[in-house]
Amino acid sequence: MGASVAAADQQPVSSRPTGPGHNVPMVVFAVLGAVRAHDHAGRPLGLKGPRHREVLGRLLAADGSVVTVDQLIDDLWERPPANARGAVRTFVAALRRGLEPERPARSPSRLLVSSGNGAGYALVTDRATVDARRFTDAVTAARDAPPRQVADTLTRALGWWSGPPYAEFPEARWAEAERARLDEARLAAVELRAAAYLDLGRGGEVVGDLRAQVTERPWRERAWWLLALALYRDGRQGEALRVLREARAALTGRLGVDPGADLRALEVDVLRHAPGLRTVPAHGNGPLRDVTTAWYERAVAPGSRAGLRSTVDLLRTLAVTGGPGLVAARQQRLATILAAERTGDAELTARIIGGYDVPAIWSRSDDPGQARQVTDAAERALVRLDPETPDAIRARLLATIAIETRGTGRPRGRQAADEAERIARRLADPGLLLFALNGVFLHTFVRCGSAAGRDALGAEIAEVAARHGLTTYEILGRLILVQSRSAYGDLTAADAHAAAAERLADQHESPLVAVFTGWYRAMRAAVSGAAPGVVADGYRAAAGELPEAGMPGLTHGLLPLALLSARLRPGRPTPPEVDGDFGPYETWVRPLLLLARGDRAGARRLLRDVPDPPPDHLLEAGWCLLGQAGVLAGDRKVVTRARTALTPAAGQLAGAGSGVLTLGPVSRWLRSFDAS
């Protein structure tokens, strides 16, 4: 045993990649209650005795920092035994076996690693795998989120608590600071959630939580204020006043302090039934925004030119928030364009259309019907513009046409993108250039094997955006590079770009980035050769983020297609258990599903008239599906079509340029087609 422990101790923290996407085993940790660990499927991992769990808890409390062996000895024993150092190493060795049961003997741990000089240990974990870190992140995010999101998020997060943090070690000195920090976060979460429920008109549902809060922590003035307001809005004015008086007695009698201004003002308002008491926001930091909005509404008439211009600015900001914000922006965008057209001012209309320069990473439109209407409006505006109109305005209309025609195969889209790019380069306008290059990127899917071109585009977009501080486009460039590097199987570079995109997203509140990097990491497991079941679990986890993303163009049919890709092998029968709503991919999947059910004649009938896959991120995947169906159905014509289309991508991974799924090396599919 001593030899194996020594071998494992040679893995230095400083030489190991950390963070998401670096092939660290998927282990989920819990400290909000007893210290526990589970594998990706929710199965408990064996942690042996309490000393082993205490070492694990101590390392989790360190949040990725190295804890020295000497510190562990001091933390574990008041009077360390003579063999304390050896005992710590034994605990660590047992933990490594428990946390990574499939790790080959004597190979270095990828999860519980040693410091460079062997003097300590650290846990290499993602924040999302530790319940305490997920919880504090949720509380932080909730402070400025809309009430519905706060209520849902914090209800879920508070459910992660099963007892005091590190409950098995109530006397442990090392846990004191971390326990206090987490307790404070829990108290804040209860109050934030209660405020959100109040704003949703459901204050009566959190009265019990708030009563427990003020009983447990009578100095929490915010909890007293929320409890009284919840009672008042629930029609219980007398109880609200009694609670306010209880608060005064608790604060002055037990703590020797007077109630703050908010509590005093609330008592006066409750007594006189103040008109605004039922509508004043309980959650968020709204006064400055409310004042600004009020002045805006006084100064800017609805439907005016200034109002339309500022509306498109607001919609652009709203779109990058994702989820409901993106849906709302999409819904209001066309109405704003049509309102601008009604003014008869072609240049104003062009500015409204071209002002919505929201970066687009996915090559399938979320609303094809609206995309056609926006494209038509942009074409009308181009025709009506005065010849003296600045070229930059024309270029923005052209870039809009390019983006809104993505995935349709219409030559006009690429022509418009190229023209917009020429104008932008001539004008040396970085923002306009990035908008135009976004359009160019979305029209690079007309043939297989185009990853090199997208790689160059992604690099230029990221570099220009970083140089000029245009963060949303820098994120776009990084995500394009994740996709293009994935197409070549260059996971090291793809990991770096994914991590960079996530850092930018954290700094600038771009939650949709996590949707794409989450899918990338699920696909990464497939590229790395993980078992189909593991890959499928990763795809299902990634799909859990899609319903709230507000991107039906990405969402519809993606999970069933990804699950199929995880099990499909060149030349082999289609797994019969694969099924689902394949949405826009149904045409190219249906022949395989018929073959899986033994309906070879039906599959051949479909293949006679099946069209080419559309020019989008999953073009190569579509050709693999068609070629496979042709092989299994004995349709040589379809096989030849697929082989011809896929040949330019022979050195790439089929579908991996999407950054969301892959069917493996294109070369394997080509060999399968040749052998059929």
Side-chain angles (χ1 to χ4, degrees):
M1 173 186 276
S4 64
V5 173
D9 278 348
Q10 299 308 305
Q11 179 73 354
V13 171
S14 58
S15 68
R16 289 187 44 77
T18 60
H22 289 290
N23 204 26
V24 174
M26 178 60 177
V27 178
V28 180
F29 298 96
V31 299
L32 301 179
V35 175
R36 291 158 291 161
H38 298 82
D39 66 13
H40 69 278
R43 294 182 291 263
L45 295 175
L47 300 180
K48 288 206 164 184
R51 287 296 192 198
H52 300 78
R53 289 193 295 277
E54 186 166 9
V55 170
L56 178 61
R58 179 65 182 90
L59 294 173
L60 286 167
D63 197 11
S65 299
V66 173
V67 181
T68 67
V69 174
D70 289 339
Q71 185 63 59
L72 284 170
I73 291 171
D74 288 343
D75 289 334
L76 291 175
W77 293 283
E78 287 189 15
R79 297 180 180 177
N83 66 337
R85 188 170 294 273
V88 167
R89 295 189 184 280
T90 299
F91 297 152
V92 168
L95 279 173
R96 283 172 168 161
R97 289 193 297 273
L99 296 175
E100 299 179 69
E102 297 179 2
R103 178 169 58 91
R106 305 177 68 85
S107 64
S109 173
R110 295 171 294 161
L111 186 61
L112 202 171
V113 300
S114 303
S115 61
N117 58 9
Y121 304 98
L123 269 173
V124 180
T125 60
D126 292 343
R127 292 190 66 80
T129 64
V130 183
D131 61 355
R133 298 176 199 168
R134 288 201 314 275
F135 181 80
T136 54
D137 287 348
V139 175
T140 299
R143 296 188 186 280
D144 296 310
R148 165 53 58 196
Q149 184 178 335
V150 174
D152 293 345
T153 298
L154 293 185
T155 296
R156 184 168 59 251
L158 286 164
W160 299 335
W161 286 68
S162 61
Y166 305 96
E168 296 168 276
F169 315 109
E171 306 300 325
R173 290 171 300 171
W174 57 263
E176 289 175 358
E178 183 69 359
R179 188 179 288 120
R181 184 183 72 85
L182 292 170
D183 281 340
E184 177 60 31
R186 181 183 62 81
L187 296 171
V190 170
E191 292 165 11
L192 284 167
R193 175 178 175 273
Y197 267 68
L198 276 163
D199 288 348
L200 293 169
R202 298 168 57 187
E205 297 179 38
V206 292
V207 166
D209 290 341
L210 291 168
R211 283 194 185 279
Q213 186 98 313
V214 297
T215 300
E216 181 184 0
R217 303 286 196 277
W219 57 86
R220 306 276 306 186
E221 289 196 41
R222 176 68 170 165
W224 285 111
W225 186 90
L226 289 165
L227 175 57
L229 183 60
L231 289 167
Y232 180 81
R233 290 187 180 177
D234 201 39
R236 298 148 73 178
Q237 182 193 17
E239 288 183 67
L241 287 170
R242 185 167 65 249
V243 160
L244 288 165
R245 287 160 189 161
E246 287 175 13
R248 181 183 296 276
L251 292 167
T252 58
R254 295 168 60 181
L255 302 174
V257 297
D258 291 327
D262 287 347
L263 277 176
R264 295 196 305 271
L266 181 59
E267 186 170 6
V268 172
D269 287 345
V270 169
L271 282 168
R272 65 185 184 89
H273 293 283
L277 203 53
R278 293 193 176 276
T279 57
V280 61
H283 169 70
N285 301 310
L288 179 60
R289 183 175 58 196
D290 293 345
V291 170
T292 305
T293 301
W295 276 107
Y296 175 86
E297 289 174 349
R298 291 190 191 105
V300 180
S304 67
R305 284 165 170 75
L308 290 170
R309 286 194 296 269
S310 58
T311 296
V312 78
D313 290 339
L314 176 62
L315 295 179
R316 182 175 53 199
T317 301
L318 196 59
V320 299
T321 65
L326 176 57
V327 173
R330 195 159 53 236
Q331 291 171 344
Q332 296 303 315
R333 181 189 179 196
L334 184 59
T336 305
I337 292 171
L338 296 177
E341 281 195 304
R342 286 194 293 271
T343 68
D345 186 334
E347 183 172 325
L348 172 66
T349 302
R351 290 182 183 275
I352 296 303
I353 294 171
Y356 191 83
D357 54 351
V358 178
I361 183 63
W362 194 245
S363 52
R364 184 177 287 276
S365 175
D366 290 319
D367 188 338
Q370 185 185 94
R372 284 192 296 272
Q373 290 179 279
V374 172
T375 300
D376 291 345
E379 296 282 18
R380 290 194 298 269
L382 274 174
V383 171
R384 295 170 184 167
L385 282 177
D386 187 278
E388 301 301 317
T389 300
D391 283 346
I393 295 177
R394 296 181 186 277
R396 285 187 167 273
L397 285 175
L398 291 164
T400 300
I401 291 168
I403 289 172
E404 297 303 329
T405 55
R406 66 191 186 270
T408 64
R410 289 173 54 189
R412 172 58 172 156
R414 183 56 192 255
Q415 293 166 1
D418 290 342
E419 188 178 349
E421 181 188 357
R422 284 194 295 271
I423 295 172
R425 291 194 187 279
R426 175 168 54 80
L427 297 176
D429 182 334
L432 179 58
L433 176 61
L434 294 170
F435 192 13
L437 291 178
N438 193 174
V440 173
F441 158 71
L442 292 168
H443 287 273
T444 58
F445 298 92
V446 293
R447 68 178 184 87
C448 299
S450 302
R454 288 193 287 278
D455 198 63
L457 278 170
E460 182 176 10
I461 290 171
E463 188 276 326
V464 172
R467 183 155 30 97
H468 293 279
L470 301 170
T471 305
T472 54
Y473 277 104
E474 186 178 358
I475 290 172
L476 172 68
R478 294 289 190 174
L479 292 178
I480 292 172
L481 287 166
V482 169
Q483 296 173 352
S484 61
R485 289 291 91 203
S486 296
Y488 290 106
D490 184 358
L491 298 182
T492 300
D495 285 346
H497 291 302
E502 288 174 329
R503 284 194 298 272
L504 290 167
D506 288 342
Q507 294 166 11
H508 298 276
E509 299 178 346
S510 299
L512 290 179
V513 171
V515 173
F516 290 98
T517 55
W519 273 89
Y520 159 68
R521 292 196 174 89
M523 182 194 73
R524 190 189 194 285
V527 175
S528 300
V534 173
V535 175
D537 287 345
Y539 283 139
R540 291 189 183 96
E545 301 298 321
L546 289 178
E548 302 299 322
M551 295 185 290
L554 171 69
T555 302
H556 193 194
L558 184 59
L559 178 59
L561 187 64
L563 295 176
L564 175 59
S565 74
R567 298 187 178 277
L568 207 61
R569 296 296 180 267
R572 297 183 187 176
T574 308
E577 70 274 14
V578 175
D579 207 342
D581 177 7
F582 288 91
Y585 313 108
E586 177 77 17
T587 299
W588 299 276
V589 175
R590 180 54 53 188
L592 286 174
L593 300 183
L594 291 178
L595 288 163
R597 296 166 191 159
D599 187 358
R600 193 166 185 265
R604 288 178 63 87
R605 282 195 299 273
L606 286 180
L607 289 172
R608 279 201 297 267
D609 301 312
V610 69
D612 292 354
D616 61 22
H617 273 90
L618 294 169
L619 173 66
E620 292 153 12
W623 278 117
C624 288
L625 297 174
L626 275 187
Q628 174 85 331
V631 168
L632 298 177
D635 189 324
R636 193 64 209 167
K637 183 178 178 181
V638 168
V639 174
T640 301
R641 282 171 61 199
R643 195 195 191 292
T644 301
L646 282 169
T647 295
Q652 299 175 21
L653 300 178
S658 67
V660 297
L661 61 82
T662 183
L663 290 92
V666 171
S667 58
R668 292 183 189 168
W669 291 94
L670 296 177
R671 287 196 297 271
S672 169
F673 298 161
D674 290 341
S676 64

